[in-house]
Amino acid sequence: MTSDQPLLDAAVRGDPAAFDELVRRHTGRMYRVALRIVGDPVEAEDVVQDAWISAWRALPGFRGDAAPSTWLYRVVTNAALAHLRRKKPTVPLDSAPEPRAVEEPEASVLRNETADVVLRAIADLEPSQRVPLVLRELEGLSYEEVAEVLGTGVPALRARLHRARVALMAKLREQR
């Protein structure tokens, strides 16, 4: 895969084909983030659509301060949080579809049950805790990337993540 920067530069200059390629490359990842934040597949699709509309409208003002993928994570995160603010209370996340490797049926069932318990506990967190946890632990962004997406410093992010992990562990203990 080539870099997204030339595509974003072309899209900023008004090239719709370049923007279409960005959409093709990043929609799956953006959907995963939206789903884990809002907890409902249909609503996650709406969030992603809203995010792409926002990204398209924001292109003329894109300064290139962030990597294209980081900028898109910020756009979808903001769209998901706006969706949550409009819709209270949040819908619990039953599970996020993840591809599973072929394994023994018993091990697969145990792994799926464990993943479902953890994802439900994450869904029960407040959005201020859920979002950084999803971006860091489930999406694998670096601390610097998550801090940039959320518009905060790394030390503040580390503190938020610590509180999120403590809250997650408490929720997991409650479910035993």
Side-chain angles (χ1 to χ4, degrees):
M1 179 190 309
T2 60
S3 169
D4 290 330
Q5 192 62 53
L7 286 173
L8 189 59
D9 293 342
V12 167
R13 291 190 304 273
D15 181 354
F19 189 77
D20 288 347
E21 179 62 17
L22 286 170
V23 170
R24 187 188 65 72
R25 287 184 183 185
H26 293 279
T27 294
R29 198 170 314 139
M30 291 171 69
Y31 174 78
R32 242 184 5 254
V33 169
L35 178 61
R36 288 176 172 151
I37 293 173
V38 301
D40 179 85
V42 174
E43 291 178 14
E45 288 175 4
D46 291 343
V47 165
V48 171
Q49 282 184 335
D50 291 346
W52 280 119
I53 291 168
S54 294
W56 176 256
R57 289 180 178 157
L59 276 176
F62 182 74
R63 297 183 314 267
D65 296 342
S69 60
T70 303
W71 178 66
L72 291 172
Y73 273 119
R74 175 179 279 188
V75 172
V76 75
T77 298
N78 288 343
L81 290 173
H83 178 82
L84 289 178
R85 281 190 295 272
R86 288 189 304 267
K87 178 189 179 277
K88 289 198 177 190
T90 60
V91 176
L93 176 63
D94 290 333
S95 67
E98 293 287 337
R100 306 262 187 228
V102 177
E103 59 185 315
E104 294 296 318
E106 184 177 321
S108 177
V109 168
L110 289 174
R111 183 184 320 277
N112 289 343
E113 287 176 359
T114 302
D116 289 345
V117 167
V118 172
L119 289 172
R120 278 194 301 275
I122 291 171
D124 287 342
L125 295 174
E126 291 296 318
S128 64
Q129 295 175 338
R130 183 181 340 141
V131 171
L133 198 63
V134 165
L135 294 174
R136 173 72 185 138
E137 303 302 339
L138 300 180
E139 289 300 312
L141 272 66
S142 70
Y143 286 100
E144 292 77 14
E145 289 170 323
V146 175
E148 190 170 339
V149 166
L150 298 178
T152 188
V154 173
L157 170 67
R158 287 182 186 276
R160 284 174 68 179
L161 280 168
H162 174 73
R163 286 190 301 274
R165 290 175 182 132
V166 168
L168 177 61
M169 294 307 294
K171 289 193 179 295
L172 290 172
R173 278 192 292 277
E174 288 172 9
Q175 294 181 5
R176 283 192 205 175

